[in-house]
Amino acid sequence: MKCRRKLVYGKHSLISFSLISALLAPYSAMIATPPRNPDKTVNCEILVVGGGLSGVATAYEGLLAGRTVCLTEITDWLGGQISAQGTSALDERPTQRALKFYSRGYLELRDRIQRKYGKLNPGNCWVSDSCFLPRDAHTILTQMLKDAENKGKGKLQWFGNTVIKELDISSDGKIINSAIAIQHQPAKGALPLNTYPLSQTIEDAYTYGNSSRFTKTIIRFVPKANQQTSPNWYVVDASETGEIIGLADVPYRLGIDARSYLEPSASSSENDPFCPQGFTYTFAMEATKEAQPQTMPAYYPQYAPYFSYELQRLANFDLVFTYRRIWSPTKGQPTKFGGINFTASSPGDISMQNWTWGNDYRPGTAADNLIYTRQQLESTGQLQPGGWMGGLRTETLRKGEENALSYYYWLVAGTTDSQLGNGVKQPYPNHRLLTGLDSPMGTVSGLSKYPYMREGRRIIGRPSWGQASGFGIWEIDISRRDYNDEYYRKTLPADMYKQLRAALAGLEATSVISGQISPDKAMRRTRSTIFPDSIGIGHYAIDFHPCMTQSPPETPGNTERAGERRGAGQAYPFQIALRAMIPQKIDNLIVGGKSIGTSHIAAAAYRVHSFEWSAGAAAGTVAAFALKNAVAPYQLVDELPKPEPQLEALKRLLEQNGNPTAFPDTSIFNQNWEDWR
């Protein structure tokens, strides 16, 4: 394997990784021990890493195109956000939903949910038009892929409980030749899968040797023998944290981007890789007729100082319970609180919890960040051959699990509120945490199998016209914010403010740069950036769950990182550029899901369900198109802004297949997007 060492983030002081490396040396030697020969070799045309919505969408389109698709996933459920991560409440915007302007696979998913329950919203939640049970999402998606396989004459090879351990990269660094994976199953006499929370099993899952819990199968993924094109297969990183881009060591960003004219609302003047958005272990709880015994976790006093309803207009238990209610067998009474209409809960209702000042866990320092930076990966040996362990801090996973279970106890028994003070929160003991392998989350603990990840590693695309240091999608490409605000005139240096106004001026940009028009007088572009290589769409608000200032996050009196919410707000309907899915260096790696080339602020909108599907549909179509036409994805965009005939053919194929690449009436002349709320 060829290792690359390209990025160093910021100037932040790190904890002593030399000490960590010394402590981990014996363990690192064990995990880096060369494995036995692979137990089996599997041929793929498209290897998809990550079985979330983006990975499923990639496989779906690949199968419809008749390709052999290998799909790996660390859990045993397909669906990511809507299954293994438990956030089975579709985040959608009203106009896009009303027009049903989505990728064909996402529309099919919505239709199958409706057919499954007889209605789209069996939970009668108020945050979405569709809230449902996570365990059912896996079943629905499994059938969708099976049907796509039959229809397209492709071949699906599904590998649940499987992680990628090593990549064999060509000597010139341009091609992933093969990948080594570890699949785990319960050892003889051991307890079933999902008995233990992720923090107790993740290191075992990435270790070659068998254990008291798991028996391992080592799998080598290679290109399909009869595929003659070059590249002769594609690897798609659809993981939740950008795991393959971390392992392959291609350039990427993590956390906050430095303030610039492209990212003017950034909360820092320099990069801060330790402050991505918070992650969440979701859980399901059921309303009961009688009060239930509630056992306080031993660690509850540590986390209790954090929990809050957050805002006075949200300080209502039933409002929070019904917010993401995923099952409601009886229709409750209409009610209202804080200007929000909803139906009251009834015994038998089941709610999924995903609350910012609740089960969100929001570390933001080098001492507790969840997703390791490149420096941290290198210092802990994870970039050495055989050293990859998933790139996450296990201790922070454990604390996220404890925080979530503590939040459940706060909901049913707590009487404090960190943001609103005492006297606001009352106990609500008529509820129970749903646990067990047959529970909505499918785990003994009742927690989601994997945390809901809002943000991971984000690639830096290849140099492109207008972005010589690497392509990316930035805040100003999508935000509706009025940058005439005094904050920007005072905070940004004069030259940076002028660049900002020019970038937003559209057809008047040249006049602003030349000084013919004052920056403050230039017209503001009132649409998102139109990308000539758009191959997908998305629409959602720029929605932040900021990291916390102090470590650990639950420190009494802790606050959110100052300025992080400044970038939050409404966004225009936006596009997914192909250049944002093509990493530097490696020609047969395509990036989907949340790890495409976006900035920290743009990523806060590029993360929801329909976007993930659209990005995955694009990735699957690009891979199949590249194989059929013997063209690498970067070759479709390397001559932009000159015409790219093969790019246009790809876009036509996407549109013909029912995968939109632009919203209706998108053009440089249409400035009217007020209805797209």
Side-chain angles (χ1 to χ4, degrees):
M1 172 179 175
K2 181 176 179 179
C3 295
R4 286 165 295 280
R5 308 283 189 262
K6 294 295 183 186
L7 294 185
V8 177
Y9 289 102
K11 301 178 181 178
H12 301 270
S13 59
L14 301 180
I15 58 177
S16 176
F17 289 115
S18 59
L19 174 60
I20 293 176
S21 297
L23 293 172
L24 290 178
Y27 185 64
S28 297
M30 180 185 72
I31 61 178
T33 300
R36 63 186 185 273
N37 290 331
D39 297 297
K40 58 181 176 180
T41 297
V42 178
N43 297 313
C44 320
E45 292 177 295
I46 305 172
L47 169 60
V48 184
V49 182
L53 284 176
S54 189
V56 171
T58 301
Y60 178 86
E61 293 296 335
L63 294 169
L64 287 173
R67 295 296 172 175
T68 298
V69 179
C70 301
L71 176 59
T72 72
E73 163 62 20
I74 188 173
T75 74
D76 56 351
W77 275 0
L78 292 171
Q81 285 197 54
I82 63 172
S83 60
Q85 297 171 45
T87 51
S88 50
L90 301 180
D91 287 320
E92 299 171 344
R93 303 309 291 164
T95 310
Q96 187 179 13
R97 181 171 57 217
L99 295 178
K100 294 186 178 180
F101 200 74
Y102 298 110
S103 304
R104 62 176 173 178
Y106 187 78
L107 287 171
E108 182 180 344
L109 169 63
R110 293 172 97 256
D111 288 344
R112 289 189 184 229
I113 292 169
Q114 182 145 8
R115 293 203 302 268
K116 164 71 179 178
Y117 298 106
K119 52 186 173 181
L120 189 59
N121 191 4
N124 199 22
C125 64
W126 56 267
V127 71
S128 170
D129 269 14
S130 184
C131 291
F132 48 92
L133 297 168
R135 66 184 180 214
D136 290 337
H138 167 70
T139 302
I140 290 171
L141 291 171
T142 298
Q143 189 61 52
M144 278 184 64
L145 290 186
K146 183 178 179 180
D147 291 347
E149 182 181 30
N150 292 334
K151 182 178 180 180
K153 308 303 180 186
K155 181 180 180 182
L156 175 65
Q157 300 183 88
W158 155 241
F159 299 89
N161 314 311
T162 301
V163 299
I164 300 298
K165 178 70 171 177
E166 299 191 62
L167 300 174
D168 173 25
I169 299 177
S170 61
S171 59
D172 63 4
K174 293 184 177 182
I175 297 292
I176 298 175
N177 292 322
S178 64
I180 298 292
I182 304 172
Q183 185 175 48
H184 62 270
Q185 295 294 341
K188 185 176 181 179
L191 294 172
L193 294 175
N194 304 306
T195 296
Y196 305 98
L198 181 65
S199 68
Q200 295 183 31
T201 61
I202 189 169
E203 292 178 6
D204 196 348
Y206 281 91
T207 304
Y208 281 120
N210 294 332
S211 68
S212 60
R213 289 177 178 167
F214 297 144
T215 298
K216 315 290 178 58
T217 300
I218 300 175
I219 305 166
R220 182 170 181 253
F221 293 108
V222 298
K224 195 172 179 181
N226 64 355
Q227 181 56 253
Q228 301 300 314
T229 61
S230 180
N232 58 355
W233 75 327
Y234 284 91
V235 178
V236 177
D237 186 346
S239 65
E240 300 302 324
T241 61
E243 189 171 335
I244 300 305
I245 65 176
L247 174 58
D249 203 17
V250 299
Y252 59 87
R253 298 183 180 92
L254 183 61
I256 298 172
D257 297 297
R259 191 177 301 120
S260 71
Y261 80 94
L262 297 168
E263 194 90 344
S265 302
S267 62
S268 174
S269 60
E270 59 183 23
N271 299 329
D272 184 349
F274 307 114
C275 183
Q277 292 216 47
F279 69 94
T280 307
Y281 273 103
T282 61
F283 58 83
M285 57 190 294
E286 181 182 25
T288 60
K289 187 175 182 179
E290 306 292 340
Q292 303 296 308
Q294 308 291 348
T295 302
M296 184 179 77
Y299 41 74
Y300 175 74
Q302 175 183 343
Y303 299 96
Y306 173 76
F307 304 127
S308 174
Y309 283 130
E310 185 173 2
L311 301 171
Q312 194 65 49
R313 64 181 177 84
L314 302 175
N316 177 283
F317 178 89
D318 216 30
L319 184 83
V320 174
F321 182 87
T322 57
Y323 176 58
R324 294 179 184 270
R325 181 172 47 194
I326 56 177
W327 180 247
S328 183
T330 59
K331 190 172 183 179
Q333 293 298 314
T335 187
K336 185 175 183 177
F337 185 86
I340 298 172
N341 296 306
F342 60 99
T343 57
S345 62
S346 303
D349 285 2
I350 298 173
S351 172
M352 174 267 292
Q353 287 299 310
N354 174 15
W355 194 255
T356 305
W357 286 88
N359 47 337
D360 275 10
Y361 200 64
R362 303 192 276 162
T365 72
D368 57 9
N369 61 311
L370 174 64
I371 304 172
Y372 280 144
T373 67
R374 192 197 176 281
Q375 282 181 291
Q376 291 171 322
L377 290 174
E378 188 170 40
S379 297
T380 55
Q382 293 207 43
L383 296 182
Q384 297 301 313
W388 184 252
M389 296 295 287
L392 303 180
R393 190 190 301 266
T394 304
E395 173 68 4
T396 299
L397 283 175
R398 181 186 65 81
K399 294 191 71 177
E401 293 159 357
E402 291 181 351
N403 180 77
L405 293 173
S406 295
Y407 175 58
Y408 166 75
Y409 184 77
W410 180 81
L411 283 171
V412 296
T415 58
T416 61
D417 190 299
S418 66
Q419 305 302 298
L420 302 179
N422 294 329
V424 175
K425 177 66 174 62
Q426 301 298 320
Y428 293 89
N430 289 33
H431 296 85
R432 66 186 182 100
L433 179 66
L434 295 178
T435 62
L437 299 179
D438 60 347
S439 67
M441 299 297 171
T443 63
V444 169
S445 68
L447 298 177
S448 55
K449 298 183 178 189
Y450 196 90
Y452 168 41
M453 300 298 304
R454 294 181 178 85
E455 183 182 345
R457 300 177 183 89
R458 311 180 311 274
I459 63 165
I460 301 173
R462 301 187 182 200
S464 179
W465 104 91
Q467 298 198 44
S469 60
F471 181 82
I473 299 170
W474 298 87
E475 172 191 352
I476 66 167
D477 287 318
I478 66 170
S479 180
R480 288 181 182 260
R481 180 169 295 278
D482 178 8
Y483 294 101
N484 255 336
D485 189 297
E486 186 178 8
Y487 168 84
Y488 298 97
R489 290 196 297 272
K490 288 188 174 181
T491 304
L492 303 184
D495 286 348
M496 187 182 293
Y497 181 70
K498 185 176 181 179
Q499 283 182 295
L500 166 65
R501 299 303 304 185
L504 293 170
L507 299 176
E508 292 183 336
T510 303
S511 298
V512 174
I513 295 171
S514 66
Q516 292 177 310
I517 297 178
S518 166
D520 292 334
K521 300 297 184 182
M523 294 291 291
R524 162 77 161 97
R525 184 189 70 222
T526 55
R527 55 164 171 78
S528 64
T529 298
I530 298 173
F531 298 113
D533 56 334
S534 175
I535 54 173
I537 60 170
H539 191 206
Y540 200 68
I542 302 172
D543 180 24
F544 271 103
H545 296 237
C547 76
M548 303 298 283
T549 306
Q550 301 177 60
S551 176
E554 66 272 14
T555 299
N558 206 354
T559 58
E560 295 180 349
R561 182 72 64 87
E564 268 290 271
R565 289 188 184 265
R566 178 169 295 279
Q570 294 302 313
Y572 294 109
F574 47 77
Q575 298 180 332
I576 303 168
L578 175 57
R579 284 167 294 166
M581 302 175 70
I582 302 173
Q584 296 183 27
K585 303 296 184 184
I586 300 179
D587 293 342
N588 67 334
L589 176 60
I590 300 171
V591 178
K594 295 181 284 286
S595 289
I596 70 169
T598 58
S599 71
H600 174 61
I601 291 177
Y606 281 78
R607 65 176 173 84
V608 296
H609 305 80
S610 64
F611 152 76
E612 277 214 84
W613 193 284
S614 186
T621 304
V622 168
F625 181 90
L627 289 170
K628 181 178 180 180
N629 294 280
V631 57
Y634 78 89
Q635 294 174 315
L636 300 174
V637 295
D638 59 350
E639 295 295 327
L640 290 177
K642 296 179 181 177
E644 292 271 16
Q646 287 183 305
L647 172 63
E648 293 307 312
L650 170 66
K651 291 167 64 86
R652 286 194 299 271
L653 176 64
L654 284 160
E655 293 283 352
Q656 289 165 6
N657 286 345
N659 294 311
T661 63
F663 284 87
D665 301 321
T666 295
S667 77
I668 61 172
F669 304 107
N670 182 14
Q671 300 290 315
N672 182 17
W673 293 95
E674 291 307 307
D675 290 339
W676 286 87
R677 294 294 183 183

